[in-house]
Amino acid sequence: MSLVNVGAPVIYWFRSDMRLQDNPAWTRACAMGRPVIAVTFAPVLSAREVAWGIPGLSPSRKAWWAATVQELRRELDALGVSLLVLRGGAMEDLVRLCETSGAVALVCEEIAAPYEEAQLSSLRASGMVVHSVWQSTLFKAEDLPFSVTNLPGVFTRFRNEVERAKVPFRTPLPAPVNVSGYDLTSDTVTFVEDFADGEDASKFVADSRSAFQWRSGSFDANDEVLHLDEVRAGSAGGHAYLRSYLESSRVAQYKATRNGLTGMAYSSKWSPWLALGAVSAPEMMAALKAHERNHGATDGSYWLWFELLWRDYFRWLHLQYGVGLYRPKGLLEAPMSERVPHHRRSFTLWTEGRTGCDLVDAGMRELACSGYLSNRMRQVVASFLIYELGCDWRAGAAWFESQLLDFDVYSNQGNWLYIAGLGTDPRGGRRFNIAKQTADHDPDGAYRALWSTGS
C-alpha cells in the first residue's frame, strides 16, 4: 500500500462560479483535507468568436469580470488562500501548475458546452485527475420528474411538469471554513501572469445612459444604504443588491415592467451576478421564497421564478443535446452541405449600429457602450440580424458573447436558437415586426434618442 503525501495540494479552478458559499465543487475541494491552490482564467475570445473575425472582448465584459475577481480574491485572502489568474485560457498552464506543485487533482464546475468540455478533455488526456461537479441549476438531476435524456421538448411542458411535481430546488450550502492555502515556490509561479488587482475594473466608468449602473469597490456590510440604481460586483455586492431589490416595490411590478428599455428599475438585473456565479440560482430562489412568505406571492414574484426556470431549461438542454446546439442548423435535421447564409458586410453594420433601422441601431449602440441590453432589445436585434439582414445566427451569438457583461453560454446559445427556430421549440423561429416593436416599446422615441450616438 503506497503512502499518500498529505501535504500535496488540490487545485480549484473557478470557472462560472465566482463564490465560496453555495458552491458544491468548492466545498468538495475543501473537503479533501488538502491545501488548496485557487486559479481562474482571464476571459479571452473563444473559438466561437474568433471564427467570425470578432476583434476582442468588450471593455464592459472585462471590467465586470475583473471587479468580480477582485472581490473573490479578497474573500480568499481572508482564508489564507491566494488566487492565481492565468491568462489566455491555456490548459497547458494548468498542467504545468499541477506538475510543479505536485497537486493530486483538479476540481471545478462542470459546464456542458463544447468549448468548455474540450478544456476538461484536454486536461484528462494529459493525465490530470479532474473532478467536475454539475451545480449551476436550481434542481438536482435526480429530483426532476424525468430523465435528462427525456427532457420535455418545449419549455411550457418542462415548466408544467416541474411545477406539478413540486420539484425542490437545491438547498444552498454554507461556505467551507476549514480551508488552507498552499505556498508555491518561486519557480512555480514564474509562468503565472497574475492579475493586476482590479486594474481593469478601477479604470472602467459605466456609461451614464446604461440600464445597468455599477461601480467598482467592495460593498461594506456597514454601509447604511445600498443604492438600487448603482450596484457593485462580487458575491457581497450581489447579495446586498438581492436583499434590497426584494425589499423594494420592484418585485411586484416586475411582470408589468420587464419589457422596459431604459433604467435599472424595469427588470431584476440579477443576470450579471448569475452569469459569473457570484450569486447562485438556488440562493436567489431561497431569497425569493422568503420574500413570498413575508410579503405574499405576486405576479411579479412568479415571473422571476419563471425566468429562473428558463435559465435552468437551457442548461438541461445542453446536457441533453450538447454539440448539437452549436451546429449551423441547430437541432434541425439537415444535409451537411446545407449552409446557413451569412452576409459579412451586413453583420459588420449590425455590430456597429449602422443598419439604418433606428431601433436596432440604438440597441446595438447600447450594447457596445455598456455591455448590457434589455431582454426585449436582445430579441429585437437578434431577429433583425437573422431575418432582415440574412446573417448566420451563430455570428450574432458570438458577438453577444464578446460584448455582454452578463454573458452566459447556456442562455446565450439557447436564446439565439429560440429566435432562429433551430432549437426544440416547434413554432419555427421568432421574426419580430420592427414597426410594431417600436410602437409598443418606444412610442415616444426616448430610447432611440438616448442612444442616437455611440458615445
Side-chain angles (χ1 to χ4, degrees):
M1 182 176 181
S2 60
L3 295 176
V4 176
N5 177 8
V6 294
V10 59
I11 297 172
Y12 188 80
W13 175 14
F14 286 96
R15 302 180 90 188
S16 296
D17 58 334
M18 300 287 192
R19 64 185 183 276
L20 304 184
Q21 75 293 331
D22 195 35
N23 188 331
W26 170 250
T27 298
R28 178 173 179 176
C30 296
M32 294 174 71
R34 295 178 178 275
V36 180
I37 300 173
V39 302
T40 193
F41 280 97
V44 294
L45 286 175
S46 73
R48 291 183 290 262
E49 298 161 306
V50 171
W52 301 103
I54 294 171
L57 300 181
S58 71
S60 301
R61 182 178 171 190
K62 289 190 289 187
W64 180 253
W65 173 87
T68 302
V69 171
Q70 183 180 27
E71 295 310 302
L72 177 62
R73 168 168 280 180
R74 289 188 175 126
E75 291 184 68
L76 287 168
D77 282 345
L79 297 173
V81 178
S82 298
L83 177 64
L84 302 176
V85 178
L86 309 177
R87 298 194 182 276
M91 295 300 99
E92 293 84 356
D93 283 349
L94 279 181
V95 175
R96 291 172 64 189
L97 183 60
C98 181
E99 291 172 346
T100 53
S101 66
V104 297
L106 178 139
V107 184
C108 65
E109 172 191 20
E110 180 182 344
I111 301 176
Y115 177 79
E116 290 76 6
E117 287 186 325
Q119 290 179 314
L120 297 193
S121 294
S122 69
L123 292 177
R124 291 182 173 120
S126 74
M128 284 185 69
V129 176
V130 177
H131 303 293
S132 59
V133 180
W134 179 258
Q135 61 181 30
S136 67
T137 48
L138 282 170
F139 315 115
K140 295 179 180 179
E142 58 267 28
D143 291 334
L144 294 173
F146 38 74
S147 67
V148 174
T149 54
N150 290 317
L151 189 74
V154 293
F155 171 74
T156 299
R157 191 155 65 86
F158 168 81
R159 174 173 60 87
N160 288 340
E161 291 194 29
V162 165
E163 291 183 332
R164 186 162 44 246
K166 297 181 179 180
V167 181
F169 58 86
R170 182 174 58 75
T171 302
L173 298 170
V177 293
N178 296 319
V179 188
S180 61
Y182 184 82
D183 290 327
L184 293 167
T185 60
S186 58
D187 59 333
T188 301
V189 298
T190 54
F191 64 87
V192 176
E193 295 184 53
D194 208 357
F195 173 54
D197 193 18
E199 180 181 354
D200 289 333
S202 63
K203 293 180 180 179
F204 183 81
V205 178
D207 192 298
S208 60
R209 300 169 293 176
S210 175
F212 184 69
Q213 288 294 319
W214 68 278
R215 63 186 175 96
S216 58
S218 300
F219 172 75
D220 187 340
N222 295 320
D223 286 352
E224 293 183 5
V225 177
L226 174 76
H227 295 288
L228 273 172
D229 295 324
E230 186 180 60
V231 300
R232 304 192 190 184
S235 184
H239 280 282
Y241 173 73
L242 180 63
R243 288 191 299 271
S244 295
Y245 179 83
L246 291 174
E247 290 169 1
S248 74
S249 61
R250 294 180 185 181
V251 179
Q253 298 167 356
Y254 175 74
K255 185 180 179 182
T257 63
R258 65 192 177 89
N259 282 317
L261 305 185
T262 59
M264 285 285 288
Y266 67 80
S267 65
S268 72
K269 301 300 191 294
W270 291 358
S271 61
W273 291 278
L274 280 169
L276 291 181
V279 182
S280 74
E283 287 179 304
M284 289 188 167
M285 197 64 223
L288 181 60
K289 287 298 182 183
H291 166 85
E292 289 184 331
R293 287 193 297 271
N294 294 330
H295 303 285
T298 62
D299 285 347
S301 65
Y302 177 81
W303 221 254
L304 287 164
W305 150 253
F306 182 91
E307 299 294 357
L308 287 174
L309 269 184
W310 258 117
R311 178 181 181 273
D312 249 41
Y313 185 61
F314 287 142
R315 280 159 163 72
W316 298 119
L317 278 180
H318 272 72
L319 277 184
Q320 184 181 31
Y321 292 107
V323 71
L325 299 173
Y326 294 77
R327 297 185 310 211
K329 288 289 185 178
L331 298 181
L332 296 185
E333 294 294 334
M336 292 296 291
S337 60
E338 187 172 347
R339 302 183 64 182
V340 177
H342 183 60
H343 301 285
R344 191 167 294 276
R345 175 60 177 162
S346 295
F347 175 67
T348 299
L349 292 174
W350 178 80
T351 65
E352 295 174 350
R354 296 193 296 118
T355 68
C357 175
D358 291 346
L359 184 66
V360 170
D361 290 345
M364 297 308 294
R365 292 189 192 108
E366 180 184 7
L367 177 60
C369 292
S370 72
Y372 193 83
L373 198 59
S374 68
N375 182 62
R376 172 59 50 175
M377 284 306 302
R378 293 184 200 201
Q379 295 180 78
V380 168
V381 301
S383 170
F384 192 85
L385 179 74
I386 295 168
Y387 299 108
E388 312 307 326
L389 298 182
C391 292
D392 193 318
W393 66 275
R394 295 172 301 163
W399 183 253
F400 272 25
E401 179 176 349
S402 72
Q403 299 298 300
L404 287 169
L405 61 83
D406 63 348
F407 168 72
D408 174 283
V409 64
Y410 301 108
S411 295
N412 190 59
Q413 200 73 8
N415 279 309
W416 275 93
L417 281 165
Y418 180 78
I419 297 296
L422 300 174
T424 57
D425 190 274
R427 286 176 56 183
R430 299 294 189 280
R431 184 171 188 168
F432 284 71
N433 181 313
I434 300 300
K436 184 177 187 304
Q437 294 299 310
T438 303
D440 288 349
H441 301 291
D442 191 34
D444 60 358
Y447 177 76
R448 282 165 287 164
L450 182 66
W451 293 102
S452 60
T453 62
S455 60

